[in-house]
Amino acid sequence: MYFRKYLIVFFLLFVSAYPKDIWYDGNLKGIEEINLDVNLKGSNEAAWRSRITQYIQLYLLDNELKTSIQIPMPKLVVDIYIIDSSVEPVSSFLINYSLYNYAVSESVYYKSIVDTVVTKKFMTNRIYSQELLGQSSSAKIYFDVENGIKRLTSAFIDQWYRDNPLKQF
């Protein structure tokens, strides 16, 4: 009885200690141009939103990843939520990077192969996601949000280079 419990606990610890690859590994392969959408909630500063959007566009362009409004997908959506509390000593923020692209379900894909008909039943799927949750003081919250955006944009480009290694040269 005790042996069985120890075996189950050992198995659960062993399985959780050795995770699989990250789920979005390889999903950015072949992406050369994206649509960028920056959503800012909790702040009404249009100039700051424009500054963030321009920073992300320049960083992507510097790394040979073009942004365009003509293409609908793949679409990089940057959601920024800010709770700036001048009364409380702590303010909070959440930054979420999600890349969406068209996909087709496995059953529809196999059915289209058998029928030799191109399917029109595409879905929109999230193929990459990273988020950052942080807390700061009210005086430093915009500075900390900008640093978080820099960190997440860099992580996105790092993953893009891992999936497209020839783009580095």
Side-chain angles (χ1 to χ4, degrees):
M1 180 86 170
Y2 290 113
F3 178 71
R4 181 182 279 174
K5 286 183 182 179
Y6 288 123
L7 185 63
I8 291 172
V9 169
F10 176 75
F11 178 74
L12 291 175
L13 289 174
F14 181 76
V15 169
S16 65
Y18 295 100
K20 298 280 184 189
D21 292 334
I22 48 179
W23 69 271
Y24 50 78
D25 193 26
N27 287 352
L28 304 180
K29 189 172 188 170
I31 293 177
E32 297 181 10
E33 190 173 6
I34 61 173
N35 187 340
L36 177 65
D37 187 19
V38 177
N39 302 317
L40 180 62
K41 308 268 176 143
S43 176
N44 294 330
E45 296 186 30
W48 189 64
R49 180 185 178 276
S50 176
R51 182 174 145 185
I52 289 171
T53 304
Q54 289 175 0
Y55 169 77
I56 295 170
Q57 285 177 333
L58 286 173
Y59 196 88
L60 296 175
L61 189 60
D62 186 44
N63 289 286
E64 311 277 329
L65 186 59
K66 299 174 193 156
T67 58
S68 173
I69 58 172
Q70 274 84 26
I71 60 167
M73 294 289 170
K75 184 174 195 170
L76 178 62
V77 178
V78 179
D79 293 317
I80 304 165
Y81 301 96
I82 297 175
I83 300 174
D84 188 7
S85 175
S86 57
V87 178
E88 297 291 325
V90 176
S91 297
S92 301
F93 62 90
L94 172 69
I95 306 167
N96 187 355
Y97 271 51
S98 297
L99 185 69
Y100 297 95
N101 203 356
Y102 291 131
V104 65
S105 68
E106 188 175 358
S107 61
V108 172
Y109 174 74
Y110 286 129
K111 185 178 177 188
S112 69
I113 289 176
V114 172
D115 295 341
T116 64
V117 176
V118 177
T119 185
K120 294 180 183 177
K121 297 180 181 178
F122 286 105
M123 301 177 291
T124 303
N125 288 344
R126 184 183 304 176
I127 61 172
Y128 174 86
S129 182
Q130 283 279 346
E131 65 182 28
L132 177 69
L133 179 65
Q135 292 182 326
S136 180
S137 67
S138 183
K140 287 181 41 180
I141 191 156
Y142 291 105
F143 177 74
D144 290 339
V145 167
E146 287 176 4
N147 284 337
I149 289 169
K150 290 175 185 176
R151 199 168 14 169
L152 288 177
T153 306
S154 178
F156 175 75
I157 290 296
D158 287 345
Q159 183 63 42
W160 184 72
Y161 275 132
R162 270 188 242 126
D163 293 346
N164 300 291
L166 296 178
K167 295 290 183 183
Q168 297 178 32
F169 306 107

